[in-house]
Amino acid sequence: MFARSCSVLCCVMALSACGDGQNDFGRPQGKRAQPVQLVLLEDGRPAPEVLAEEQVVYRGNGEEPETLDPHLAQGVPATRILRDLFEGLTAESAAGDLVPGAALRWNISRDARTYTFYLRRDLVWSNGDPLRADDFVYGLQRAIDPETNSSAARTLLPILNAREVLAGELPVEELGISLLDEFTMQITLTGPTPYFLGLLASPVAFPVHKGNVEALGDQFSKPGNLISNGAFVLTEWTPRVSIVLEKNPRYRQAETTLIERVVYTPTEDRAAEVKQFRSGALDWTNEVPNNQFKWLQANYPDELVTSPWMGSYFLGFNLTQEPFIDNPSLRMALILSVDRQIITEKVTQFGEKPSFALVPPGIDGYVPFSPEYADWAQEERDHEARRLYEQAGYSEENPLRVEIRYNTSDNNKKIALAVASMWKQALGVNATLVNEEFRVFLQNREQKLVTQVFSAGWISDYNDPYSFLEMFRTGHGRNDYGYSNETFDALLDEVGTERVRARRERLMFEAERVLMSDHVIIPIFTYVTKRLVNPHLKGWQNNVMDHHPTQTMFKLKSSEMSSAEKNP
Amino acid sequence: MKQAGVFRHAAVRLLGLIPTLLVLITIAFFLIRIAPGGPFDAEKVLPPEIRANLDANYHLDEPLLQQYFRYLGQIVTGDFGPSFQYKDWTVNELIARGFPVSATIGGLAMALAFVLGTLIGTFAALKQNSVIDYSVMGVAMLGISIPNFVVAPLLILGTAVYAGWLPAGGWDWSWQRMVLPVVTLALPVVAYIARLTRGSMIEVLHSNYIRTARAKGLPERQVIRRHAFKPAILPVISYMGPATAALITGSVVIERIYSIPGLGSYFVQGALNRDYTLVLGVVIFYGIVIVVLNFIVDLLYAWLNPRIRYDEAQ
Amino acid sequence: MNKPVLRVQDLAVTFTSYTGNLFQRRQRQLRAVDGINFELNPGETLGIVGESGSGKSTLARAILGLIAPGRGRVMWNGEELTGLDEEALRQKRKELQIVFQDPVASLDPRMTAGDIIAEPLWTFYPNMERLQVEERTRGMMKVVGLLPNQINRYPHEFSGGQCQRIGIARSLVLNPKLLICDEPVSALDVSIQAQIINLLKDLQNKLGLALIFIAHDLSVVRHISDRVMVMYMGQAMEVSDKTKLYRRPLHPYTNALMKSVPVPDPKLAAAARQDSWLTGDMPSPYRRPKGCIFHNRCPFRVKRCEADIPALRRMEDGDWVACHRAEELDLSIQVAASG
C-alpha cells in the first residue's frame, strides 16, 4: 500500500513540476518556419516579394482595456490600442522618437510656454469627415472638462487654467487653448514643460469626433460607433475575448501601412499567454512570466526580446517614524548592505538591471546620478555598512528589528526575502516580512503610520526624469516616504521653469543627487520589457517607453528552407 | 394537483429569496466598503480636483447610508449601474456577456461529469473489489488530487502547443475552444461523482428490492437502469446543487488559464479594483443563480424520491 | 403418486470471504448450505424451518439460481437448472418465483404498486398491450386482496401486510408453478401473519402451486405445510410428514425448536423455558463441530455423536432423519410433558 501511494505522489509531483512550464519538453519541433531574409527598398520600405500574404498581427495585450474613450483611458492595454486607432498632433516613430502627427510643424515661443501647431490640410476622419484644428481643441477641452470625469486629465495640468477648469472654477473655454484658424491652434502652458510635445502623442490629447460624441454619449467608443483618425479603425470588441482593428483606408499614411488587421487579445495570465504564443495563436506577447525567463532564453532565443524600460524598482523608508526618522546612518547601512547583483542574477533572474539611483538610464538622453558606492565591491559596502550600523547605535547584541512591507506578489516576496537575509548576514538585522493586498498596502503607505521599509516602484507616464523626481516633492500625493527637503523642492521648481534642455538636465541630476544623499530609497533594479515576438514580425524597434505602433509593422513570409529542414 | 403543489412550492421559494437577497446585498455592500482603498486609489495619485469630480459623479461623496439606499433603489429597477473599472460597459452588459460563457462551460462540464462519473461509478460498483474497480477508482482519485491549475497547462501543452489539435485558449463559442476548459473543469467532478456513485450503488445493489427485481427475472441491465440507478444517484444529485453553482458561476483559475471571458474573473478583478458596482452586481447575480439551482435540485430530488413529493407534504 | 416437479440433490452453497491485508490474504469458507436433498410434488407444500443462520434463505435462493450453488443439482421438471446460463435461467423465472421476507424493503419505493406487479409482464411479454397489462395487474391485486384503485399508490402508502400482498401479487403475475416463500410473515404483526398464510394457502389451492414455505418457527409452518424440513447449520436434520413431525419429532433439534415455539400462557411459557435444553448459541459456521454438528447442544449425545457424522436416512415410515439415536429416543413424551 505504501509503495502504491508513494508512486502516485511522485507522479503528481512530476506533473505539477512540469505544470509551471519550466520543465516541459522544449519547443515543438518544426512548428514555426523561419522567415525569409528581410530586403529593404531604397526608400526603406520592405520589398513586396518578402512580405507574407496575410498581414494580420495577433498581439497579447495584458488586462482587458478599461475603455476605448481616449480621454478616459489610462492603462497600458487601452492606450496601446488607442495609439493604433488615433493620431495626435505629434506622433511617435517605431523607435519612440517624436515625429509630426496631425500637425505638420509647430513653433514654441521664447518663454517655452506657447505652442503653435500648423495642421496638415488633407486630414479626414475614418468616416470621411474632414479633420480640422477645432477637433483637437474640442478633444483637449473634453478631456479636461469636469463633466468628462477623466482621471487621465491629470497629465494635462501643465496647460494654462487646466487646474481651475477641473476644479470647476473656470469654464472650459478659459483653457489655454485657442483656435487661430481652420488649420492652426495654440496651446499656452503654465510653465516650460519639455515633455509636453510627447504628451500630445498620448491618448488623452487625441481628438474625438464631436458630432459622434454628442450624438452617442457614452456609447461612442463602441465598435461600429467609434470614429477615429489613426492608422486603424475599431471593428470588433468582445470584452475579455478580443479587440479587432482593421486598416483605415482614409488614414494619411494608409499607402505605407502594411498590416491589414490587428487582433488584440487580453492575456491576464502570463503563462497562458506564452502557451498561446507557442501554439502560434499570438505573434506578440505582452509579457513573459518571470519564472519562465531562463527557460525561454534557452528555448526561444530568437523570439525572446528584452529592452530597457522607463521604470525602477526600489524599497522606500518611512522617514516619519522610528527607526528611520533622523537616522541617515542606519538608512545608508541598509542601502549599502543590499547586494543588487545577487538579487538580479540569482533571485529574480528575469533580466532586470541592478540600480544605484532613482531614474532608469535611457530616459530622453538623461544620464542618472551614480553614487560613489556603485563602484565598490560588495565587501567594501558591507564593511562601510557595519560601521554606519554601529554608529547608529546597533550591534549584534542590540540588533535592529524592522518590517519589510510589500503588496502580495511572488517577486516582491522573493526580493524582500533576499534583502532580509542580506541584512541579516551583513549586519545581523532581524527583518520580518509583511504582505498586504494592493489597495490595503497603498493606504498604509500613504498614512505612514505602520510602514517602515516598503516596496515601491515607478513606471513613468512620459519620457522625462521629472516624472520620477516629482513624487519626492514635499506634500506630493505619492510621497509615502515623508521626505521633505527645501533644496530638493527648490531644484524641482527650477526644473519647472528652465527652458534650456542641458541646464534643466543638470538641475534634475542635482535633485537626484540630493535625494540619493538623503538615503530615502534603496534602489534595487531598473525594469526591462521582455516579450516573445514572432520572428516574422518586423518593422518595430525597442524603445524605453515600450510604445510599439502596429502601423510600422509588417510580416515576412516563411522561407522555403524551413520545410526542407523539417525532413532532413 | 401535483403540478399545483410544485408551483406553490416554487412561489414560496422565490418569495423566500427576497429577504435572503436583501441580507446578501446589505452584507456585500458594506463589506466591500469596509475594505481599505477605493476604486480611484492607484499608485499614481489623482489631483484633488479630479478626485472630487469622480467622487461626485459616482456619489461616493455622499454618506454611506444614503449611497446604500440609492443603490437599493437602483437595483430594484434591475439596473446594476455602470462598472467603475470597465467604463464603456454597464454591469448588466458584463454579466450578460460573461454568464452565458461561464454557464455553458460549467453546464457542459457538469453534464460530462455526471454522465462519466455515474457510468464509471456504476461500472466500478458492479465489478466491486476487482482489478478494474481498483484501477478505475485509482484513476478517479488521481483526478481529485491533481489541481486543475496543474492539469490545464499540461492539457494545453499536449493538445495545443505540441500536437496543435486545439487552440491554446481564447473564446469564440466554437467546440474546439470549449473542449479543454470543459474537460479540465469536469475531471475532479467526474472523480468525485464516480466515488459517490460507486459507494451508493454498492449499497443499493445490496438492498432488498434489487433482490426482488432480480427474482422477477429482469435482465441485469434493467435491474440497474430501472431500479438501482435512481436511488444510487441521490447523493450525487444533492452534491450537484452546490457543485453546479460553483461550476457555472465561473472558475477564475480556468478562465485565466484558458483566457475565457466568464463571470469568475469579473468578480475577482472587481474585488481587487474595488469596482463596487461590478462586485455587488455579480454577488447578487450569484445569489439568484445559487437559489435557483438549489430549487432545481430539490425538484429533481423529489422526482427521484417519491417519499418527499411536495403534493404529499401538504 | 405424482412425479416430483422439483428435485434437489446434494445442493451446497459455500461463501468465501477474505480477511487480512493486501499482501496476506486469508480465505475463509462458510458452508451456508451443505448437501441438501429433497423432492417436491406438484401442489405440495414443503415447510423449511431452522434458526436464523441455518441456511434456509440461502437454500431458497440457490434453488432459484439467484445464488450459484457450489455443488449439487436442482432439477425442475426433469431439467437441470444448475447448469443453465444466465439468460436461460432468467427465462425460468416465469415458472419459479419467490416472496421475500421484508415486504416493505423488498418493493422499489420509486415504483407504484401497479408498476411493481406489472413489471414482470413488461419483461417477459414486452408486446403485451398496455390495457391488457393493466387488466391483469388489477386482477392480480384483487386476487391478493388489494383494491384495484390502489394501483397508483407507492409502497410507503401501504401497511406491511398490504406490501406483502403486493409482493405475492407480483410473484404470481406470471403464473409460476413453484413459489418459494422466504419467511413471508416474520416481519408482520401476528394478526396479519394469519391473513397472509391463509391467503397463500387459498392461492395454492386455487392455482395448484408447488410451495416451499420457509419460517424460523414451527408454528407458522404447521398450518400450511404438507411436509417439514428442519435445517441446522446448512444441513437437513429431519424431513417429516407434518402430522407425524408435530406429534413425535424424530430429531432432538426438532424437539428443541418445538419447545421454543411461543406459548400464550405465561405459566406454561416459564415452564417451557425452564425445561428447554437448547442451551448455547449455534457454533460459529467457520468452526463446525466434528461428528454430528448438533452434538454440542444435544442432551442426548453419546460418544458416537462426537465422532461419526450421522447420515440423513430414511426411516420405515418414509420420513428422513439425521440422528444416530432416532430409533431409541421417543421425543413425543418430552413434548407432552412440556405441553
Side-chain angles (χ1 to χ4, degrees), chain A residues 61 64-65 68 81 85 234-245 262-266:
Chain A
N61 200 32
E64 167 75 9
L68 287 182
I81 295 171
L85 289 172
L234 177 66
T235 54
E236 263 179 68
W237 182 3
T238 318
R240 305 216 355 256
V241 175
S242 65
I243 292 182
V244 182
L245 317 185
V262 201
V263 180
Y264 281 102
T265 309

Side-chain angles (χ1 to χ4, degrees), chain B residues 212 216-218 226-227 304, chain C residues 90 106 108-110 119 123:
Chain B
T212 307
K216 278 180 180 178
L218 298 193
R226 207 181 279 155
H227 297 275
L304 290 172
Chain C
R90 199 173 68 76
S106 295
D108 188 333
R110 280 158 208 86
E119 195 183 20
T123 309

Side-chain angles (χ1 to χ4, degrees), chain B residues 81-125:
Chain B
S83 162
F84 281 67
Q85 169 75 12
Y86 303 107
K87 296 189 175 62
D88 294 3
W89 309 93
T90 65
V91 173
N92 293 47
E93 279 177 305
L94 292 176
I95 293 177
R97 282 168 179 270
F99 182 65
V101 178
S102 291
T104 306
I105 294 283
L108 285 175
M110 189 38 103
L112 178 71
F114 179 78
V115 172
L116 277 183
T118 50
L119 274 178
I120 291 173
T122 306
F123 190 66

Side-chain angles (χ1 to χ4, degrees), chain B residues 52-63:
Chain B
N53 287 339
L54 285 169
D55 283 350
N57 186 46
Y58 290 99
H59 307 290
L60 294 179
D61 51 349
E62 292 173 0

Side-chain angles (χ1 to χ4, degrees), chain C residues 123-239:
Chain C
T123 309
F124 287 103
Y125 306 101
N127 299 324
M128 197 187 264
E129 296 209 7
R130 264 191 55 194
L131 266 173
Q132 214 182 334
V133 170
E134 197 178 320
E135 199 180 318
R136 172 113 182 102
T137 304
R138 287 179 193 276
M140 250 0 271
M141 290 179 76
K142 215 180 290 175
V143 166
V144 299
L146 291 167
L147 300 172
N149 64 8
Q150 293 171 322
I151 192 163
N152 284 326
R153 297 262 178 101
Y154 286 92
H156 65 270
E157 298 170 70
F158 291 96
S159 69
Q162 285 175 312
C163 281
Q164 197 55 294
R165 287 174 198 268
I166 298 173
I168 293 167
R170 74 94 193 125
S171 68
L172 295 178
V173 75
L174 292 169
N175 277 329
K177 306 279 180 329
L178 169 70
L179 183 65
I180 300 180
C181 301
D182 183 7
E183 303 201 36
V185 294
S186 56
L188 301 176
D189 286 351
V190 181
S191 58
I192 315 272
Q193 287 187 354
Q195 293 176 14
I196 297 290
I197 291 172
N198 286 335
L199 171 69
L200 283 169
K201 199 167 180 181
D202 287 354
L203 288 171
Q204 186 197 17
N205 290 338
K206 220 181 282 176
L207 305 171
L209 288 167
L211 199 65
I212 295 177
F213 192 97
I214 297 172
H216 61 256
D217 75 71
L218 280 161
S219 65
V220 173
V221 181
R222 182 175 199 164
H223 186 61
I224 195 169
S225 309
D226 300 316
R227 281 187 304 147
V228 175
M229 174 160 78
V230 177
M231 279 182 76
Y232 184 72
M233 292 189 77
Q235 295 179 3
M237 298 286 98
E238 175 173 357
V239 185

Side-chain angles (χ1 to χ4, degrees), chain B residues 208-209 211-212 214-220 226-227 230-231 234 304-307 309 312, chain C residues 61 90 93 97-98 100 102 105-111 116 119 122-124 154 156 170:
Chain B
N208 289 342
Y209 60 86
R211 196 179 57 194
T212 307
R214 288 186 176 137
K216 278 180 180 178
L218 298 193
E220 192 63 16
R226 207 181 279 155
H227 297 275
K230 277 192 197 174
L234 275 178
L304 290 172
N305 195 350
R307 259 172 262 185
R309 288 208 176 153
E312 284 139 23
Chain C
R61 279 174 235 168
R90 199 173 68 76
R93 300 270 177 267
Q97 269 298 338
I98 181 166
F100 289 106
D102 185 343
S106 295
L107 303 180
D108 188 333
R110 280 158 208 86
M111 275 195 167
I116 290 170
E119 195 183 20
W122 305 338
T123 309
F124 287 103
Y154 286 92
H156 65 270
R170 74 94 193 125

Side-chain angles (χ1 to χ4, degrees), chain B residues 3 26 49 61 63 84 99 111 113 121 125 129-130 135-136 143 146 153 165 172 174 197 200 251 267 274 311:
Chain B
Q3 291 219 324
T26 309
E49 297 84 6
D61 51 349
F84 281 67
F99 182 65
N129 294 336
S130 68
S135 40
V136 167
I146 306 180
W165 295 327
D172 59 5
S174 67
T197 311
S200 67
S251 152
F267 183 59
R274 307 285 190 273
D311 50 337

